[in-house]
Amino acid sequence: LAAAHPDWLSPPEAHVLGGILSPGDGERMIDLSHPDALAWLSDTARRYREDLGVTFLKHDFGYLAFPVRATADPSMTAMEAYRGGLRALRAGLGDDAFLLGIGFVGTGVGIVDGMRTTLDNGPLWAQADPFSAFGSGNAFQATVKTGARRYYFHDRTWVNHHDLLFFRTDAE
């Protein structure tokens, strides 16, 4: 895709935070303000649905698109471009497939069927810094704390997805 359509990709200078929330050194992302890229995204989701029978799609790592300026249509904000990408996925999948969003809470309102509402979990009970504003994640307590703050979204805005839970006696 990148070789065939380099104009569909955001240039490295469009990433306004440098290496923060970046897919990696020198890597580029699809410009979600480019109409042809959105058509490809929608068609890919349609092929998943029709050709492969996919009825559940997890859109993960969506937050990587937020610090990237829309270059094909500079009048768009990064959020408008991101939501356009979600709409393209939704259009391709159809309304009867389940679209799960993994990204900043609230970004998929009205588009996704479910939203991840907690941090990554891990096989630990307590988090390293329980007083961290965002939580350090990777612990059961952090998942419960974050999920408790967002419970009210469930069955009102989307289906809450709290990630997975680990059960074991130690971390090794």
Side-chain angles (χ1 to χ4, degrees):
L1 180 69
H5 303 285
D7 58 314
W8 292 6
L9 302 177
S10 296
E13 59 271 12
H15 198 283
V16 298
L17 296 179
I20 300 171
L21 289 180
S22 171
D25 289 338
E27 294 181 14
R28 297 166 61 191
M29 295 188 306
I30 293 176
D31 179 0
L32 296 174
S33 72
H34 197 293
D36 293 335
L38 290 176
W40 173 85
L41 190 59
S42 184
D43 184 59
T44 300
R46 181 198 55 77
R47 287 185 291 116
Y48 283 5
R49 174 74 176 147
E50 293 177 5
D51 299 346
L52 302 174
V54 170
T55 58
F56 180 98
L57 183 72
K58 177 182 177 181
H59 173 259
D60 208 343
F61 289 94
Y63 48 82
L64 294 178
F66 295 123
V68 179
R69 270 191 309 275
T71 51
D73 182 355
S75 70
M76 294 178 80
T77 66
M79 182 59 70
E80 289 170 329
Y82 175 78
R83 286 181 57 82
L86 284 179
R87 283 189 196 95
L89 286 174
R90 168 55 67 208
L93 284 174
D95 290 332
D96 59 338
F98 193 95
L99 178 58
L100 176 63
I102 311 290
F104 295 121
V105 172
T107 57
V109 171
I111 304 170
V112 299
D113 300 298
M115 187 73 192
R116 169 95 164 268
T117 55
T118 60
L119 304 168
D120 284 337
N121 203 329
L124 301 171
W125 175 255
Q127 57 194 44
D129 181 6
F131 300 106
S132 170
F134 297 107
S136 55
N138 294 321
F140 183 76
Q141 287 178 338
T143 295
V144 171
K145 179 172 72 173
T146 307
R149 292 179 182 146
R150 299 172 177 165
Y151 75 91
Y152 56 87
F153 285 117
H154 187 68
D155 281 342
R156 290 178 178 86
T157 310
W158 50 55
V159 173
N160 282 358
H161 170 61
H162 295 307
D163 199 22
L164 53 102
L165 297 177
F166 289 87
F167 295 95
R168 60 176 151 178
T169 56
D170 58 45
E172 295 183 29

